Amino acid sequence: MPQAGRGLARLTPTAVAKYLAGQRALLKGTQQPDGDTRQVVLLRSAPMWEEQPILSWNGGRRARVATAPSVLAVYQEALSHLDAPGPGSVEDPSLLVLLTDREDAELDPGILVRAYRYAIQHVDNWDLIRETFTASGIDPRLSDETWGVAEALLEAAPAGGWPGLNRQVLSRTHALAALARRRLLLDADAQLDIDTLLLWSRTSSEGPRAYRALRDGERAGLRRFLAEVDQAGPTADALLSITEHDEPSVALPFGLVAAALWQHAPAGPEVFRARGRAENILGREFTDEAMRRYGESAENLVARNAQLLAEVTPDAERLAGHLGATGAVRHSPYLPAGLEARLAAVGSAIAGRDLDACRTALRAVQAHHLAETARTRIGRARMAVRLVQWLATEPAWTPDTVADALAHYNAELSWADRALEHLEAGGDTEPALSDAYDALAADVRKVRRRMDQAFAEQAAEWTAAGTAPNSMLTVETFLERVAKPVVKSQRRLMLIVVDGMSAALAGQLGEELAANWTEYDPTGEKGMPPTRQAMAAALPTVTAVSRTTLLTGKLQRGDQKTEKREFPSLRLWSGHKAAVFHKDDLRPASTGGRFGPDLEAALTDDASHLAVVLNTVDDVLKNDERLDEWDWTIGDIDALTPLLDEARRRGMAVLITSDHGHVLEHRGVKVPTPEAVNARYRVVPDDGAEPLVSEAETVLAGPRVVGGPIVALWPADARYTNRAAGYHGGVHPAEFTIPVLAYLPDGATEHIPPGWRQLTDTYEPHWWKLDTTRLRTTSAPPSAETGTTQATKSRRTPKKSAPQDTGLFEIAVSPQPSETEGTLLAVEAQSPVEQLLDDLFASPALSDQLALLPRKEDPEGLRQALAALCENNTLPLTAVAAAAGKPPARARGYAAVLTQLLNMDGIQVLELLPDNKTLKLNPTWLKAQFGLGE
């Protein structure tokens, strides 16, 4: 039998006094304080009294208050008082108020007949409630509740009473909200929304325990109240039901699984079975709409809290396995299984070389809310899709001269090499992606091998002919053509030589430098649009030859002493001081120093030009260690960041270049030869005999080959010496092509070097941009030689593999044609998002906003970023930047550009959420702001 009186309210002194004062019969039968009539009033109450035992009531009257938690205590207290001699006194008034939680049926009639009104009396709870809230009245809807709300409000009242209402009517909402906060152990000012309850279930143990300990009726009443539209919503009903029937901490992960089961995954036998098992956690059946909204609420919460998402995903994945919903959660935009499924879809699209499917699948990956945790993997997938696009351009080696070949490699092929290096750096754990990378890299290497051989033959012919460089930039002409105009402009020069930096690596650094520097074409070649330049290395492509040639202005072999001696004496300095600094000069002499004393002195000398050699890249190449991530940043190159900071502070022009490039080790083949002393070239013996060369070698002779004829390797995967991380010395275009980056600090308008022209357009090749435009393509079998597409006038794709899953994501993918169809793929009807973007970019208001941007932005990149936002509404900064083809380092800056573009007159069309990592687009405000039709 349950304990009698469970849940009874504790009576206050005011409540007892008011009750006594309202009893006329009691007043008539009670004498003055010193009277001779003793009485006992039994009041139903929690047997608790922490006040003074003597209570004053109705003016000068007094009563003693005592508690009786048991039947025996009632007998003892009542009989002791009634049978005591004398009429009573100030210390022992004649009236005893006995607080007990016993029932009438438990007491002997002999006691009841001697008590006031022969029974245990009940105090009007609503009067007490009105008193403790200092309310003028009670909302009738509150008193209509049938689940014991009055007793609950009195029982849950704080020690000092409920916060006063200053004689206002106590509304049902106010009373039940206050009660819910107390019963759930929430803060007094906590919002009673679904976010609060989800966090409560996850982070509080005492609160759910207190809720489960409530009476059944009170739990049901509070659950109904919290499920009302103006409170936490219907999903609160499901959450509290889970709290009653399962571990409360499962409520939030269950919400993520519920979103997959009731919202994202297509209906099927597995989904229906998992939904049925979910009822064991819920405790009862809920409508599909209620579960859909529950899942949506859970996703909305974790979307705004990346740390919470990371904490809850392991529990959600375990729960999915318990419910048999592992297939369903592959459709989740929040759970790891969903990210893996999207990555697998990218792999399937890459394997099929379907450009539309690649772009669609990649956008789906970038839109996943765990994308930030897989930046490296997604970046690698992005590079793979770029390579698919590059192969779809039907690449061929077309330059007629070495000058054209250098420009072509710098502007086109180096980007393909950069993308390929990202694939080689790490692969992927997802089998579909890993297999796709293997096949894609093999095809790219086949195409590149033909190009590399053609380049080597071209370079050998040009070198042997001894043709003058003419307009082509070379290491021996670099200082005269590029550095001299800086000296003439009366601006100081900082030349930074990153030893071993390739054009592919320079392209990556250039993206980061764009945040604080303005890039220029320093060659001043008339009739040609400004572009990023490159120059030809000296041969062999090693530091002793090419760097010395660069820093002395003449073809020769030398060392640091040669460079330090000849660099300052060059005529181009026109009498100004100039110095070159190497690795030892960068070492500070003291703990607080940044550089060596000579370099520090040169930096502070306003009349001095300087060159600094940085060896980080070349040092890494010498190690026999695989580069786990081919993802260079400015901070990865020792001393580069402080040098750039100093140059920007002093308004210096900066030239960043190299002495040669490099190829990296990827399962390279060692070519046997007895006389090689360098990894990539060997000297031709001076015996007059024709050197024997293999298919991987070419003979280089002529005035630009310092030290006489050499035999050099041209494939990227061949070497003479023991394995290292990378090599140089050969005639691969990545070794022979030296990138040239020319910069002035942002905002520089005076002392522009003559002939320097600012780069206004993006320097990436067109296929580098990952737009999402649907292409009309034809199907064609792959080439038997390369496994890539046949060269035809129209862009073709090979036969596509079967789709992995139907309806895996809510993004349409073009249907797959059969191998024998040979017909054009059907063009999909324009989507609402595409129509919205067409209207937006035709809007005069947007044109006006574009004109206000400080820099010209690529329209296609803007369109793709806005398309991603329109389709998802909420996306990480990095995903938005990736959609526009921007690197992660520029994500925050690009978000600022989009915000300036879309937000006019204080209207937040685009909002950066409080986590400072997520952008949220309001499509309704977008349409209203730019006058777009529905």
Side-chain angles (χ1 to χ4, degrees), residues 28 125 198 262 264 316 331 344 385 463 572 692 732 780 896 927:
K28 290 179 180 179
N125 287 336
L198 285 169
W262 274 274
H264 303 302
H331 302 264
V385 173
T463 304
L572 67 91
L692 297 176
H732 188 279
K927 295 174 184 178

Side-chain angles (χ1 to χ4, degrees), residues 502-513:
S502 65
L505 193 157
Q508 191 154 344
L509 296 181
E511 292 176 350
E512 191 175 354
L513 285 164

Side-chain angles (χ1 to χ4, degrees), residues 94 98 227 240 372 383 429 457 509 623 748 828 917 921:
S94 61
L98 198 55
L240 292 176
E372 186 68 19
M383 292 296 183
T429 56
E457 294 170 355
L509 296 181
N623 298 326
E828 297 183 2
K917 296 180 180 180
L921 180 75

Side-chain angles (χ1 to χ4, degrees), residues 839-853:
D839 294 344
L840 175 63
F841 278 84
S843 165
L846 184 69
S847 299
D848 293 342
Q849 288 293 99
L850 286 169
L852 296 176
L853 294 179

Side-chain angles (χ1 to χ4, degrees), residues 636-682:
D636 293 329
I637 300 176
D638 292 343
L640 181 54
T641 296
L643 285 171
L644 289 171
D645 290 343
E646 189 70 17
R648 185 169 63 251
R649 189 171 70 87
R650 297 181 180 276
M652 302 174 75
V654 173
L655 294 172
I656 303 177
T657 188
S658 180
D659 49 354
H660 54 74
H662 65 262
V663 294
L664 293 176
E665 166 62 32
H666 298 299
R667 301 165 297 279
V669 176
K670 186 175 182 179
V671 179
T673 181
E675 68 273 18
V677 294
N678 179 275
R680 296 275 294 167
Y681 82 94
R682 56 190 175 95

Side-chain angles (χ1 to χ4, degrees), residues 311-356:
E311 292 173 358
V312 80
T313 46
D315 291 341
E317 296 251 299
R318 285 192 293 270
L319 180 61
H322 174 70
L323 296 178
T326 53
V329 294
R330 287 174 58 82
H331 302 264
S332 169
Y334 291 87
L335 295 178
L339 179 63
E340 293 299 321
R342 295 182 185 212
L343 286 167
V346 175
S348 297
I350 292 172
R353 305 296 163 82
D354 185 329
L355 283 175
D356 281 345

Side-chain angles (χ1 to χ4, degrees), residues 59 76 81 113 133 147 185 230 235 268 276 332 351 371 451 503 598 619 658 717 739 817 848 858 911 921:
Q76 289 176 338
H81 177 76
V113 76
F133 277 100
W147 47 270
L185 304 185
D230 57 343
T235 54
S332 169
M451 294 179 173
D598 292 342
D619 289 345
S658 180
D717 57 356
D848 293 342
D858 174 37
E911 175 188 5
L921 180 75

